Amino acid sequence: MQLMVINGPNLNKLGSRDPEQYGKATYMDLMGMLEAKCTERISIRCFQSNSEGRIIDLIQQAGEEYDGLVINPGAYSHYSYAIMDALVDAPIPKVEVHISDVLNREDFRRNLITAKGCEKVISGKGFEGYIEAIDYLTGVLNGNQCV
Ligand code: DQA
């Protein structure tokens, strides 16, 4: 089973960026956590990009070559119809993750556009949200959960 994880703009700055919202752990710490989830049967490839076009290219690639996708589109979550369209078009199970609790922050963060292209949204659980997303996808792909 091949899973892709995409982190969008500014998530490469985890650790130093707004630690009250995102914690003190770094992007590399997150990569380490995800690597620890890999097994003989589950491979996870992680990408980070600050560019909308690159994120769309990756979603298209995931739809063609991967079994499932975890995405944190960062601020694009709140306004990118182009990323939403790419997600809707990708014929694999997808989970959107937010490290912070986007529903209880500024008003503009409650507008979840890209989430419309995902089966599930996990918000406010820190890095644990990515682990939960991977567990959800492996459950779906093993036929234990409905999309
Ligand atoms: C975020 C929430 C977004 O509103 C913000 O723009 C981010 C990170 C999160 O993980 O909590 O960049 O997606």
Side-chain angles (χ1 to χ4, degrees):
M1 185 183 300
Q2 291 236 67
L3 304 179
M4 184 187 283
V5 176
I6 304 174
N7 277 293
N10 300 307
L11 292 162
N12 54 318
K13 303 286 284 182
L14 287 170
S16 60
R17 174 193 181 200
D18 197 352
E20 286 219 344
Q21 288 296 344
Y22 304 114
K24 287 190 183 146
T26 64
Y27 179 74
M28 288 319 289
D29 294 332
L30 175 60
M31 294 303 97
M33 268 179 77
L34 294 176
E35 206 180 310
K37 285 294 281 181
C38 295
T39 64
E40 234 169 66
R41 292 191 54 246
I42 306 171
S43 98
I44 304 172
R45 281 210 66 194
C46 299
F47 299 88
Q48 190 279 326
S49 176
N50 295 323
S51 310
E52 189 176 31
R54 170 76 176 138
I55 293 169
I56 291 166
D57 289 342
L58 285 167
I59 295 167
Q60 290 180 359
Q61 189 189 344
E64 286 160 16
E65 298 170 14
Y66 286 73
D67 301 303
L69 173 67
V70 178
I71 183 164
N72 181 346
Y76 284 132
S77 313
H78 313 301
Y79 65 92
S80 176
Y81 291 99
I83 290 178
M84 181 198 75
D85 279 349
L87 287 167
V88 167
D89 194 50
I92 53 172
K94 292 141 285 179
V95 182
E96 178 165 308
V97 171
H98 295 287
I99 296 166
S100 65
D101 182 5
V102 282
L103 299 179
N104 288 298
R105 294 181 62 188
E106 303 93 322
D107 280 352
F108 76 89
R109 293 187 206 273
R110 289 194 196 157
N111 197 18
L112 295 177
I113 298 297
T114 55
K116 297 187 204 313
C118 295
E119 283 69 38
K120 189 176 168 68
V121 180
I122 300 169
S123 170
K125 297 192 173 173
F127 287 4
E128 197 52 40
Y130 292 85
I131 303 298
E132 206 177 290
I134 285 162
D135 289 340
Y136 171 81
L137 289 175
T138 54
V140 166
L141 293 164
N142 284 323
N144 302 332
Q145 253 159 324
C146 295
V147 177

